[in-house]
Amino acid sequence: MLLLRSSPFLHHLPTPTSLTSITSHTHHLQPHFPLRLPVPTTTTTTTLSSQRHRLFPSKSIPLLRCSALSSSPVTSQLKDSLMYSRAYWVSESIIAWDVDVGINGSLYLFASETASLSITDGDYGIQGHDVKFKLEEDTHGLPQNVMEKFPHIKDYRAFKVPPSLDAKVLLKCQLAVAAFDDVGKCSNITGLQLPGILDELFSYSGPLGAVYSTEAIALFLWAPTAQAVRACIYKDSSGGSPLEIVQLEETKGVWSTKGPKSWDGCYYVYEVSVYHPSTLQIVKCHANDPYARGLSANGGRTLFVDLDSDTLKPDGWEKLALEKPDLLSFSDTSIYELHVRDFSASDLTVDNEFRGGYLAFTLQDSAGIRHLKKLSDAGLTHVHLLPAFQFADVDDEKEKWKSVDTEILEKFSPDSAEQQALITAIQNSDGYNWGYNPVLWGVPKGSYASNPNGSCRVIEFRRMVKALNHIGLRVVLDVVYNHLHASGPYDENSVLDKIVPGYYLRRNTDGFIENSTCVNNTASEHFMVERLIIDDLLHWVVNYKVDGFRFDLMGHIMKRTMMKAKDAISSLTKEKNGVDGSSVYIYGEGWDFGEVARNGRGVNASQVNLSGTGIGSFNDRIRDAILGGSPFGHPLQQGFVTGLLLQPNDHDHGTAAGEMLAASKDHIQVGMAANLRDFVLTNCLGKEVKGSEVLTHGSAPVGFASNPTETVNYVSAHDNETLFDIISLKTPMEISVNERCWINHLATSIIALSQGIPFFHAGDELLRSKSMDRDSYNSGDWFNRLDFTYNSNNWGVGLPPKQKNEKSWPLIKPRLADPSFKPQRSHILAAVENFSNLLRIRYSSPLFRLRTATAIQERVRFHNTGPSSIPGVIVMSIEDGHESQHGLSQLDPIYSYIVVVINARPTEVSFTSPALRAKHFELHPVQLMSTDEVIKASTYEESTGCFVVPSRRTSVFVEPRKF
């Protein structure tokens, strides 16, 4: 909607259609009563019953009685059926329901404007309805377009709605369909799900939200099922009586009004009178604007705010698009995942008032900023911020937060349960949460701002983006469109489900909200949900100039939505919109599960489905192969770098450990080739296979991408244990902390030197620990601390919170209690240097960042393959062309050939390759200049093609063009 800001103001819209126009055909209508809406106490409104034609009963309708499932009185099972919505009004002419009415049975649609439908005993039948209509079955079944839109009900029966019926008015009522047997007894009844017909009749592309013009402010709200809408205007962020209450008027499902410019800086709340299926009542819902661009603390009220106002723009804001860090290709992207609060909450070099918030990123010389500058200088391109929109479970008003004195926590032993007990006692009242519990997508989170009221959060978020850009880092926003924190008519954090109940949230075949993503799954397959998502993304790009989006549980979003969003963003230009949309990178979690699995609700944005789109998906295959097992498997399951076969722990891996290690190497090699589905390599059995023909343990293809930017390679993220913690858990207890640190580096090196997009969790380069917490979303600053002074990695700060970790406490406790597990400052400093060096190596040559699948297939080769290969060793070469020779084009002016040798073995390894003999390889200059004396022992012998690499090291050999 940001593109509509300059649109001519749309004047007051006409009053809603009345029930008089439901139909001019009176057949199948029962006697009715005047239909009246709840009338606001201070304003007038048009009722559905105004000026309607009289509807006459049909004499042909048999008496309809509710029968008990066995005998009268009616059973509670049938009476409770109105709580369900098992039928679907899928189009204006079709209702779908999985019910057989029999040869002589009948089906009726009932409507009650006052939500008075009820089922009674005896001959009174279904009562409380204002009108009812007989439906005839369509023996042809559901139309093709309906089955495509709603594949989960493709086998339902289709019932024809009378063509003269005006559905637009009925949709504001309580609705039910009931089946009757041949003697008129009710055998089944249910409510209806309405998204299909709402999309058909009310899809809308005009202005929404608060739209500013020269003289006025207009409000537009899409609420086609509402019976009345009022806007309560307030002067202050909380308390007090409204300055005025304005009745909105409706046209085609959109309610609007116009107000004076003096509303700017005031607040408003919508009061929506609407039938809510969760209550079976007409309710008055008080809700924020779904298109809110500002809020009061905790989303109590929506702020009138003009994002185009110069007072809300940092100096130079309009020129920021011209000053963005260079990004020639998405293949040049590298991502650092960071939580806004983690970045500075524990940083004593940041003023107390800035800690944990947006403004901490605007400082010039804090420990955190110095660290980010170091990574940027080494080549890092993007900072990915965990959710920073308005989310629940952290109070925006800091003075209400509770905390635990760290001096008390520091007195307990490293393996004590006392720390977690004190933290969890106040965890819902402190200032910490990851933020994956969205309330309003389009407003920055208030708790990160210096003042949650007014427009502070707007300008401070912008200052953060500008500051990060100026130190060479683009900004990715973590978006959570797959679910909402709350639903229903009364929850203070519920918004969309108050405005159009039953539309925005995906429901199961009983009519209840799907919760596979956590809670309150959204339904991007519905037109206005998809539109809201796309509008929100455009808003963040244009109004906050963000450079990318990471989609939480992207697989629960439809592929069509993702493609429309990508196209809409890509069309933005510096000239028209002040931003270059073509440089915005989009990626997410393409997991395929829940009700959307196997395209259960349409073609979803899963890993496999997104092949060829240019949208990135997290590569869990390489993560699991590197570390071992999966986040859902046995915690001691080892992988390629954690000692599988070569340095076993106490876990019984069976007799197939060697096969598992070989398979892990295949998975990693596919991942290092950007996880391309068509990349050809020699597998552990000596067969030439494509990436898609290498299978996971669940028989899914390892390779799913068609081009390198569709793969986001990672080994750790905010979810699950940190990299250092999982290594400390899976490796044998008797090895040294120094060895664990080098295993940490080894895992990171695989990601850093792979084709595709490398992704790093903040702190991987600091040996970050969360004291082995596997889910620290609500574990407070104590377990989530980052120390950019490099004095501590936060290991051993107590047993992690009981709720998510208690089952693993017997494994965790002895490790935390052992002082030898804790890294020293020297280890952390070495880790930072190693990580920076990996970035420098990646950005030293375009050969590490090949832009096409063809280039990867032509240039990347894996050696040490097949059944006779050395276990635990990966050898990858990348070849460049020569200007004087035909064949490969020349991409790198410095190096003509690169070889990466990854040695996960606990001992030095020698590997001889005839294919690489007679080259002029030398150790990469970055590694030669490092403080790691061990890596400098890596050698290559030209006459034999023999590489020697120390234990648990990744050595990079280059052939300079000078040869």
Side-chain angles (χ1 to χ4, degrees):
M1 284 322 301
L2 48 129
L3 301 180
L4 297 170
R5 297 184 56 82
S6 59
S7 300
F9 174 72
L10 301 183
H11 293 283
H12 279 74
L13 303 175
T15 56
T17 308
S18 68
L19 197 57
T20 56
S21 60
I22 289 180
T23 182
S24 58
H25 179 63
T26 59
H27 190 56
H28 298 323
L29 295 181
Q30 283 293 84
H32 60 275
F33 303 94
L35 306 182
R36 297 192 178 277
L37 291 173
V39 180
T41 57
T42 59
T43 61
T44 60
T45 185
T46 304
T47 68
L48 291 179
S49 58
S50 64
Q51 302 178 352
R52 65 190 176 88
H53 300 296
R54 179 166 293 278
L55 305 177
F56 295 97
S58 169
K59 296 180 181 180
S60 63
I61 298 177
L63 182 63
L64 303 180
R65 296 183 292 113
C66 286
S67 68
L69 296 183
S70 54
S71 61
S72 189
V74 178
T75 66
S76 61
Q77 182 177 350
L78 193 58
K79 283 186 174 180
D80 290 343
S81 292
L82 287 175
M83 291 298 298
Y84 295 83
S85 296
R86 290 169 169 151
Y88 295 72
W89 200 339
V90 293
S91 70
E92 191 171 12
S93 60
I94 296 290
I95 288 176
W97 192 14
D98 188 22
V99 65
D100 184 1
V101 297
I103 298 176
N104 297 314
S106 56
L107 194 75
Y108 285 84
L109 170 66
F110 294 84
S112 171
E113 183 187 6
T114 57
S116 301
L117 293 181
S118 63
I119 304 170
T120 64
D121 299 340
D123 294 333
Y124 294 101
I126 298 170
Q127 67 178 19
H129 57 277
D130 299 304
V131 292
K132 76 169 183 281
F133 306 89
K134 188 174 184 180
L135 308 177
E136 301 292 344
E137 183 169 359
D138 186 340
T139 57
H140 294 97
L142 295 175
Q144 183 64 31
N145 66 317
V146 169
M147 290 191 288
E148 290 174 359
K149 186 177 178 67
F150 303 105
H152 61 298
I153 61 166
K154 59 183 175 61
D155 296 325
Y156 278 33
R157 296 174 184 267
F159 297 91
K160 293 181 287 188
V161 176
S164 55
L165 180 151
D166 188 347
K168 293 180 180 179
V169 179
L170 285 186
L171 292 172
K172 297 178 180 296
C173 302
Q174 180 188 22
L175 300 172
V177 286
F180 298 86
D181 62 20
D182 55 356
V183 295
K185 292 183 179 181
C186 178
S187 58
N188 207 340
I189 185 170
T190 188
L192 285 88
Q193 298 189 38
L194 305 178
I197 187 172
L198 291 177
D199 280 353
E200 182 175 86
L201 298 182
F202 294 108
S203 293
Y204 170 74
S205 58
L208 288 171
V211 178
Y212 281 70
S213 64
T214 304
E215 298 84 15
I217 301 174
L219 290 175
F220 297 91
L221 180 71
W222 186 76
T225 61
Q227 296 184 349
V229 176
R230 304 193 302 175
C232 303
I233 315 297
Y234 295 88
K235 177 64 176 175
D236 299 317
S237 58
S238 63
S241 300
L243 293 173
E244 54 183 316
I245 299 177
V246 182
Q247 178 69 41
L248 277 67
E249 299 177 340
E250 183 191 18
T251 290
K252 297 180 181 179
V254 178
W255 299 78
S256 69
T257 191
K258 179 174 70 173
K261 288 295 287 290
S262 60
W263 280 358
D264 187 42
C266 293
Y267 297 85
Y268 65 103
V269 174
Y270 284 125
E271 179 189 270
V272 181
S273 296
V274 65
Y275 172 72
H276 207 292
S278 69
T279 65
L280 302 182
Q281 295 177 346
I282 307 295
V283 294
K284 285 187 179 180
C285 297
H286 294 86
N288 281 299
D289 192 331
Y291 278 72
R293 298 298 178 245
L295 292 169
S296 64
N298 299 312
R301 293 169 182 172
T302 303
L303 175 70
F304 283 105
V305 58
D306 182 3
L307 297 182
D308 276 344
S309 172
D310 289 339
T311 61
L312 301 182
K313 298 175 182 177
D315 292 341
W317 182 249
E318 298 294 356
K319 297 180 180 180
L320 186 60
L322 304 175
E323 301 170 352
K324 291 277 185 181
D326 291 336
L327 188 71
L328 300 179
S329 166
F330 285 141
S331 291
D332 294 330
T333 299
S334 54
I335 302 170
Y336 185 79
E337 181 198 44
L338 181 62
H339 186 258
V340 172
R341 183 163 178 82
D342 286 353
F343 175 65
S344 60
S346 303
D347 191 346
L348 299 182
T349 67
V350 174
D351 290 343
N352 188 55
E353 60 184 307
F354 291 167
R355 287 180 203 160
Y358 303 126
L359 292 180
F361 291 91
T362 67
L363 304 177
Q364 296 298 311
D365 199 38
S366 69
I369 290 297
R370 289 197 300 270
H371 183 74
L372 289 184
K373 286 180 179 178
K374 183 181 300 183
L375 300 185
S376 175
D377 290 344
L380 187 73
T381 64
H382 288 65
V383 166
H384 157 169
L385 298 177
L386 267 66
F389 49 74
Q390 186 64 23
F391 58 81
D393 289 342
V394 171
D395 200 306
D396 284 345
E397 297 175 300
K398 299 177 179 64
E399 61 271 17
K400 295 181 180 178
W401 294 350
K402 296 179 181 178
S403 62
V404 181
D405 189 339
T406 56
E407 291 186 2
I408 295 175
L409 297 172
E410 288 168 353
K411 293 179 180 178
F412 299 116
S413 64
D415 62 333
S416 170
E418 296 294 334
Q419 298 96 323
Q420 64 86 30
L422 292 171
I423 295 297
T424 55
I426 55 103
Q427 66 181 359
N428 295 322
S429 302
D430 64 1
Y432 197 90
N433 196 286
W434 279 347
Y436 293 97
N437 35 14
V439 176
L440 279 162
W441 293 318
V443 185
K445 173 61 176 168
S447 65
Y448 297 146
S450 58
N451 185 345
N453 295 305
S455 56
C456 276
R457 60 176 88 188
V458 174
I459 191 169
E460 290 177 6
F461 193 102
R462 286 172 165 175
R463 288 182 62 189
M464 174 182 67
V465 172
K466 181 172 178 283
L468 284 168
N469 284 175
H470 280 179
I471 62 171
L473 295 169
R474 289 173 172 253
V475 178
V476 172
L477 182 61
D478 201 324
V479 288
V480 187
Y481 296 123
N482 61 82
H483 73 271
L484 289 164
H485 182 66
S487 60
Y490 305 120
D491 193 306
E492 63 181 8
N493 290 313
S494 175
V495 177
L496 297 179
D497 199 44
K498 292 177 179 177
I499 304 295
V500 191
Y503 179 81
Y504 286 97
L505 302 179
R506 187 179 289 136
R507 294 193 282 174
N508 62 24
T509 52
D510 283 332
F512 300 118
I513 297 170
E514 292 279 12
N515 294 317
S516 58
T517 64
C518 183
V519 291
N520 302 312
N521 295 8
T522 54
S524 66
E525 59 269 28
H526 303 160
F527 182 90
M528 295 301 287
V529 183
E530 177 178 85
R531 184 199 157 169
L532 177 54
I533 291 171
I534 295 172
D535 286 349
D536 192 67
L537 291 166
L538 293 173
H539 154 65
W540 283 105
V541 175
V542 172
N543 291 320
Y544 290 100
K545 303 188 189 300
V546 301
D547 307 289
F549 296 99
R550 177 268 191 191
F551 279 72
D552 184 58
L553 297 184
M554 180 174 62
H556 272 68
I557 306 295
M558 293 300 108
K559 176 183 177 180
R560 179 194 67 183
T561 304
M562 296 299 300
M563 292 308 299
K564 285 184 177 181
K566 182 176 182 289
D567 291 344
I569 293 171
S570 295
S571 69
L572 300 173
T573 65
K574 295 178 183 177
E575 294 73 23
K576 293 182 179 179
N577 313 102
V579 294
D580 177 13
S582 67
S583 68
V584 174
Y585 181 58
I586 297 173
Y587 62 103
E589 296 178 304
W591 319 139
D592 191 40
F593 70 97
E595 74 281 0
V596 302
R598 297 175 297 280
N599 301 323
R601 293 299 180 100
V603 180
N604 62 319
S606 64
Q607 291 168 323
V608 174
N609 287 342
L610 286 178
S611 177
T613 65
I615 295 172
S617 290
F618 282 101
N619 180 10
D620 54 330
R621 279 73 155 162
I622 197 170
R623 176 202 64 189
D624 293 347
I626 290 171
L627 298 178
S630 79
F632 313 104
H634 194 285
L636 295 184
Q637 172 66 56
Q638 291 178 292
F640 186 81
V641 305
T642 54
L644 180 62
L645 179 69
L646 304 174
Q647 201 165 33
N649 57 22
D650 293 334
H651 180 64
D652 183 6
H653 291 83
T655 58
E659 296 174 13
M660 292 167 60
L661 180 61
S664 295
K665 187 169 79 169
D666 283 350
H667 293 191
I668 294 169
Q669 290 175 155
V670 174
M672 294 186 74
N675 223 53
L676 296 174
R677 59 194 305 174
D678 292 329
F679 180 82
V680 178
L681 74 161
T682 302
N683 70 6
C684 58
L685 300 177
K687 297 180 180 179
E688 280 201 349
V689 293
K690 293 181 178 179
S692 60
E693 295 170 336
V694 179
L695 304 179
T696 67
H697 298 301
S699 297
V702 170
F704 55 72
S706 293
N707 69 68
T709 60
E710 291 171 1
T711 293
V712 178
N713 284 322
Y714 77 114
V715 74
S716 71
H718 65 274
D719 281 321
N720 312 310
E721 295 89 346
T722 67
L723 177 57
F724 183 80
D725 282 349
I726 200 71
I727 289 170
S728 297
L729 187 63
K730 290 177 179 290
T731 51
M733 287 194 65
E734 63 271 14
I735 72 171
S736 69
V737 66
N738 192 56
E739 291 176 278
R740 291 193 186 92
C741 292
W742 279 109
I743 292 172
N744 192 106
H745 306 334
L746 191 69
T748 302
S749 72
I750 296 173
I751 301 303
L753 302 178
S754 294
Q755 304 292 332
I757 308 299
F759 175 99
F760 308 101
H761 180 40
D764 282 355
E765 76 286 9
L766 307 173
L767 307 174
R768 183 184 187 176
S769 173
K770 297 179 182 178
S771 215
M772 307 192 87
D773 190 350
R774 68 172 285 107
D775 190 0
S776 68
Y777 82 99
N778 201 20
S779 299
D781 297 324
W782 180 255
F783 287 99
N784 286 285
R785 283 187 301 177
L786 272 172
D787 181 2
F788 291 118
T789 65
Y790 313 143
N791 287 314
S792 170
N793 77 329
N794 208 45
W795 172 268
V797 296
L799 285 169
K802 180 178 181 179
Q803 182 182 7
K804 299 284 187 177
N805 301 279
E806 187 178 18
K807 289 183 179 179
S808 295
W809 274 5
L811 295 173
I812 294 171
K813 189 176 176 62
R815 288 166 169 81
L816 295 181
D818 188 338
S820 71
F821 272 74
K822 185 177 178 63
Q824 302 303 308
R825 176 176 168 82
S826 59
H827 292 116
I828 298 171
L829 290 172
V832 174
E833 182 198 12
N834 180 77
F835 184 80
S836 300
N837 285 346
L838 288 171
L839 289 174
R840 290 190 182 94
I841 292 171
R842 180 176 183 83
Y843 288 97
S844 70
S845 173
L847 297 179
F848 285 113
R849 311 184 309 280
L850 297 174
R851 299 181 181 182
T852 67
T854 299
I856 293 173
Q857 184 64 66
E858 290 176 341
R859 298 166 187 266
V860 176
R861 294 287 182 274
F862 290 97
H863 312 267
N864 186 42
T865 59
S868 61
S869 63
I870 303 171
V873 177
I874 293 174
V875 181
M876 177 183 73
S877 66
I878 316 171
E879 183 180 1
D880 200 13
H882 295 266
E883 290 182 349
S884 59
Q885 298 177 2
H886 295 293
L888 292 178
S889 59
Q890 181 177 318
L891 302 178
D892 190 338
I894 302 175
Y895 304 124
S896 59
Y897 222 110
I898 296 174
V899 174
V900 177
V901 182
I902 301 165
N903 179 17
R905 300 174 67 85
T907 56
E908 179 183 271
V909 69
S910 296
F911 170 74
T912 299
S913 171
L916 298 174
R917 187 171 60 84
K919 298 290 183 182
H920 304 284
F921 289 120
E922 57 189 40
L923 196 61
H924 197 288
V926 169
Q927 291 188 320
L928 283 173
M929 295 171 61
S930 75
T931 60
D932 177 20
E933 295 300 324
V934 175
I935 198 71
K936 296 176 184 178
S938 304
T939 62
Y940 165 76
E941 188 175 78
E942 184 176 327
S943 60
T944 62
C946 179
F947 296 86
V948 177
V949 174
S951 69
R952 297 199 175 98
R953 293 296 195 277
T954 294
S955 299
V956 180
F957 297 88
V958 293
E959 183 180 60
R961 288 197 178 274
K962 65 184 180 181
F963 291 109

